């Protein structure tokens, strides 16, 4: 009976092709190392990560570093207990890609919460995209950053700006996400659309969503349930399916895993390339 159900939950062939294992992981790392920055004098290629509380933003940042370092890291502290955001300050994390000419940093913000004046103010996220938020700024839900605040950067450098927006959503709970949180994500997409800012969705917890994938991560692109969840994310936020990436963050593991790293590095490769393209467009205007 179990095998019959597994077959019902799977496509006969993968709907997105990929290779797996150490060779594929090493190939992705090499691709990232060889990406040429649009401008050599751009200090940072900055990426901004947003999402509801508990979606796995901080864990995704740690998982990226795990993939490159080959060991478990915890630079971005995460919380699995409280429903409130564990991230309350604007903080950047440098990703050690091994590419000396391309410095990638990921900025994490306070999680989004349902209701008015709860969670990270959307105004602050927009300011962060434009480079106006100083690192270490403490987000206050009921008091967005103002231009006369000491943490407001009045004249941001190009490297203070964000060049890609990453929406992190947890696959096992996305359809239970507060509608007002989804509304905030849609509003954010609308606000940054004028910049031509590329957006991607990183869908975490794929192993907790589909038993087939939990048993074998290489089945992620055979899974009907995972594809349905990705399509739901795409439809809700207006992000094309080619920019939706399923991943399994590191959580209970004490050693890195090649297949987990492949999914994480595939997402990161596209994020960096999109950010680099956006930097070229925005900085040549």
């Amino acid at each position: 009976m179990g095998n019959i159900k597994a077959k019902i939950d799977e496509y006969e062939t993968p709907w997105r092709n990929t290779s797996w294992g150490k060779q594929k992981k090493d190939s992705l790392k090499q691709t990232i190392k060889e990406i040429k920055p649009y401008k050599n004098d751009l200090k940072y290629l900055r990426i901004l990560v947003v999402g509801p509380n508990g979606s796995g933003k901080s864990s995704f940042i740690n998982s990226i570093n795990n993939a490159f370092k080959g060991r478990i890291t915890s630079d971005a502290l995460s919380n699995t207990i409280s429903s409130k955001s564990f991230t309350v300050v604007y903080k950047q994390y440098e990703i050690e890609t091994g590419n000396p000419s391309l410095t990638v940093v990921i900025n994490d913000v306070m999680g989004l919460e349902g209701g008015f004046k709860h969670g990270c103010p959307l105004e602050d996220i927009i300011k962060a995209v434009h480079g106006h938020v100083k690192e270490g700024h403490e987000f206050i839900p009921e008091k967005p950053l103002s231009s006369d605040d000491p943490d407001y950067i009045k004249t941001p450098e190009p490297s203070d700006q964000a060049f890609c927006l990453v929406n992190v959503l947890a696959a096992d709970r996305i359809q239970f996400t507060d509608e007002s949180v989804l509304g905030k994500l849609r509003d954010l997409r609308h606000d940054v659309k004028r910049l031509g800012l590329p957006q991607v969705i990183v869908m975490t917890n794929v192993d907790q969503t589909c038993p087939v994938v939990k048993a074998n991560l290489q089945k992620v692109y055979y899974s009907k349930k995972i594809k349905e969840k990705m399509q739901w994310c795409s439809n809700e936020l207006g992000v094309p399916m080619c920019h939706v990436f399923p991943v399994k963050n590191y959580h209970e593991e004490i050693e890195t895993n090649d297949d987990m790293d492949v999914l994480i590095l595939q997402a990161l490769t596209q994020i960096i390339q999109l950010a680099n393209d956006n930097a070229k467009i925005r900085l040549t205007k």
Side-chain angles (χ1 to χ4, degrees), residues 55-56 60 63 168-169 171 201-208 213 217 220-221 226 230 244-250 259-268:
S55 58
F60 178 60
S63 295
V168 179
L169 295 169
I201 295 172
V202 169
M203 195 178 77
T204 63
N205 294 5
V206 293
D207 57 314
Q208 299 301 315
V213 176
L217 192 59
V220 68
Y221 293 129
I226 296 301
M230 290 172 64
V244 181
F245 302 97
V247 303
K248 179 183 184 303
N249 283 338
Y250 283 93
D259 290 338
M260 289 173 64
D261 291 345
V262 164
L263 291 179
I264 291 161
L265 292 171
Q266 281 180 331
L268 182 65

Side-chain angles (χ1 to χ4, degrees), residues 103-170:
T103 302
V104 177
V105 298
I106 298 181
N107 273 75
D108 196 4
V109 301
M110 186 181 196
L112 296 173
E113 297 179 27
F116 183 59
K117 293 186 177 180
H118 289 282
C120 190
L122 288 191
E123 303 97 311
D124 285 0
I125 297 176
I126 297 299
K127 291 183 181 77
V129 169
H130 287 281
H132 291 299
V133 183
K134 187 179 293 184
E135 185 183 8
H137 169 69
E138 183 173 348
F139 296 103
I140 303 174
E142 63 276 10
K143 187 183 177 184
L145 182 68
S146 65
S147 59
D148 57 357
D149 192 289
D151 288 346
Y152 184 88
I153 301 173
K154 290 183 170 58
T155 310
E157 298 291 332
S159 59
D160 293 324
Q161 302 175 47
F163 295 103
C164 185
L165 187 68
V166 177
N167 301 272
V168 179
L169 295 169

Side-chain angles (χ1 to χ4, degrees), residues 48 72 88 130 143 149 167 179 221 229 276:
L48 191 61
I72 305 301
V88 295
H130 287 281
K143 187 183 177 184
D149 192 289
N167 301 272
E179 179 57 34
Y221 293 129
K229 297 280 187 179
N276 207 22

Side-chain angles (χ1 to χ4, degrees), residues 11-185:
Y11 293 103
E12 289 188 7
T13 57
W15 50 270
R16 182 181 283 181
N17 291 317
T18 188
S19 303
W20 297 95
K22 186 177 185 305
Q23 185 174 354
K24 178 62 175 178
K25 178 181 76 171
D26 290 344
S27 173
L28 287 165
K29 289 170 70 174
Q30 189 62 34
T31 296
I32 292 171
K33 288 179 183 179
E34 293 175 355
I35 294 175
K36 301 298 182 184
Y38 157 63
K39 290 185 72 174
N40 289 326
D41 60 347
L42 185 65
K43 187 177 179 183
Y44 297 126
L45 188 65
R46 191 177 303 277
I47 294 155
L48 191 61
V49 175
V50 301
N53 291 336
S55 58
K57 295 186 292 96
S58 298
S59 294
F60 178 60
I61 294 170
N62 286 332
S63 295
I64 291 172
N65 273 323
N66 293 349
F68 279 106
K69 293 183 177 180
R71 61 179 177 83
I72 305 301
T73 65
S74 58
D75 293 346
L77 298 179
S78 58
N79 186 18
T80 59
I81 301 174
S82 173
S83 60
K84 296 294 182 180
S85 179
F86 197 63
T87 300
V88 295
V89 300
Y90 190 58
K91 186 170 182 180
Q92 72 178 33
Y93 299 92
E94 186 171 328
I95 306 302
E96 298 179 14
T97 63
N99 185 334
S101 62
L102 182 73
T103 302
V104 177
V105 298
I106 298 181
N107 273 75
D108 196 4
V109 301
M110 186 181 196
L112 296 173
E113 297 179 27
F116 183 59
K117 293 186 177 180
H118 289 282
C120 190
L122 288 191
E123 303 97 311
D124 285 0
I125 297 176
I126 297 299
K127 291 183 181 77
V129 169
H130 287 281
H132 291 299
V133 183
K134 187 179 293 184
E135 185 183 8
H137 169 69
E138 183 173 348
F139 296 103
I140 303 174
E142 63 276 10
K143 187 183 177 184
L145 182 68
S146 65
S147 59
D148 57 357
D149 192 289
D151 288 346
Y152 184 88
I153 301 173
K154 290 183 170 58
T155 310
E157 298 291 332
S159 59
D160 293 324
Q161 302 175 47
F163 295 103
C164 185
L165 187 68
V166 177
N167 301 272
V168 179
L169 295 169
D172 57 338
R173 66 190 82 159
I174 50 174
Q175 287 166 303
F176 303 104
T177 304
D178 191 299
E179 179 57 34
S180 65
V181 173
L182 291 174
K184 289 179 180 180
L185 288 171

Side-chain angles (χ1 to χ4, degrees), residues 5-7 9-10 210-217 219-220 222-223:
K5 186 176 187 311
K7 291 300 180 185
D9 291 339
E10 293 178 44
C210 176
V212 172
V213 176
K214 187 177 181 65
N216 182 0
L217 192 59
K219 291 284 189 178
V220 68
Y222 285 85
S223 169

